[in-house]
């Protein structure tokens, strides 16, 4: 039986340029804030309404270096990760808690400045390794024989996940 699922998927825009720091071990840590917005029409007044939610996202190691180098304020980005709450002490020594999204995968959705490539991390920044994501192998169509009509190629279902989703989702 599953113990639970902790998965977050965001598609939104960066509210400010990424902030990258390096841990004593040499690993990079990049923090960003991502805004997601929803719009609707008020049932009573008929006026359009909008609500924006801000999310703290942290990237670790190689994914942090990529995010720090290629993302900037206003960038549209897809992020997949998990929620983490961490405890820290402020300057007065009072315990504080911060809930943030620890990113495991990131896809740049802006068309400008690049191909919109994605990146993922095998290390979640807390010492736990994740299995690498692999696409399902594509099969070549069967060889054709001269005296027979060509057989139709078997239906190819895309692999599970979002490995090329930016062409399919209208934004």
């Amino acid at each position: 039986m599953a113990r639970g699922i902790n998965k977050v998927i965001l598609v939104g825009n960066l509210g400010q340029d990424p902030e990258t720091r390096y841990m004593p071990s040499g690993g990079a840590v990049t923090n960003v804030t991502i805004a997601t917005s929803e719009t609707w029409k008020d049932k009573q007044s008929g006026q359009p309404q909008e609500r924006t939610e801000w999310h703290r996202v942290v990237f670790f190691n190689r994914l942090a270096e990529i995010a720090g180098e290629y993302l900037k304020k206003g960038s549209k980005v897809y992020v997949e990760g998990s929620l983490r709450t961490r405890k820290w002490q402020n300057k007065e020594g009072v315990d504080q808690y911060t809930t943030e999204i620890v990113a495991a995968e990131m896809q740049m959705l802006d068309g400008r400045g690049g191909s919109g490539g994605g990146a993922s991390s095998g290390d979640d920044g807390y010492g736990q390794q994740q299995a690498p994501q692999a696409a399902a192998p594509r099969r070549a169509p069967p060889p054709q024989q001269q005296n027979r009509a060509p057989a139709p190629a078997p239906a190819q279902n895309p692999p599970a996940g979002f490995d090329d989703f930016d062409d399919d989702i209208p934004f």
Side-chain angles (χ1 to χ4, degrees):
M1 182 171 154
R3 292 179 272 180
I5 297 173
N6 180 358
K7 185 168 192 167
V8 176
I9 296 174
L10 296 176
V11 176
N13 296 85
L14 266 65
Q16 59 192 28
D17 287 335
E19 296 176 9
T20 302
R21 296 182 316 278
Y22 290 88
M23 297 180 283
S25 64
V29 179
T30 297
N31 292 292
V32 299
T33 54
I34 296 177
T36 57
S37 297
E38 61 179 313
T39 58
W40 70 95
K41 191 176 280 190
D42 185 86
K43 290 181 180 178
Q44 294 182 355
S45 68
Q47 296 294 317
Q49 302 290 318
E50 181 176 13
R51 177 179 23 242
T52 300
E53 191 73 33
W54 289 93
H55 311 274
R56 296 174 186 261
V57 180
V58 61
F59 300 92
F60 289 98
N61 301 319
R62 182 66 183 132
L63 194 55
E65 293 171 0
I66 293 168
E69 184 175 346
Y70 293 104
L71 297 180
K72 63 183 180 205
K73 180 179 179 176
S75 295
K76 184 174 282 292
V77 67
Y78 164 92
V79 172
E80 189 173 312
S82 59
L83 282 176
R84 296 282 168 91
T85 300
R86 61 183 170 89
K87 179 180 170 182
W88 54 281
Q89 290 187 341
N90 64 14
K91 294 177 183 176
E92 291 79 34
V94 178
D95 288 345
Q96 301 284 310
Y97 296 87
T98 300
T99 300
E100 56 200 2
I101 296 153
V102 176
E105 296 186 36
M106 182 266 296
Q107 179 88 28
M108 295 171 276
L109 301 178
D110 289 328
R112 57 187 185 271
S115 63
S120 65
S121 171
D123 184 344
D124 69 358
Y126 290 92
Q128 296 179 348
Q129 292 293 319
Q130 300 168 347
Q133 301 291 324
R138 304 269 181 181
R139 289 184 288 190
Q144 297 178 2
Q145 296 180 2
Q146 287 184 336
N147 295 338
R148 294 176 49 194
Q156 297 276 332
N157 291 330
F162 296 95
D163 63 315
D164 194 22
F165 70 94
D166 59 339
D167 296 330
D168 302 332
I169 300 175
F171 288 103

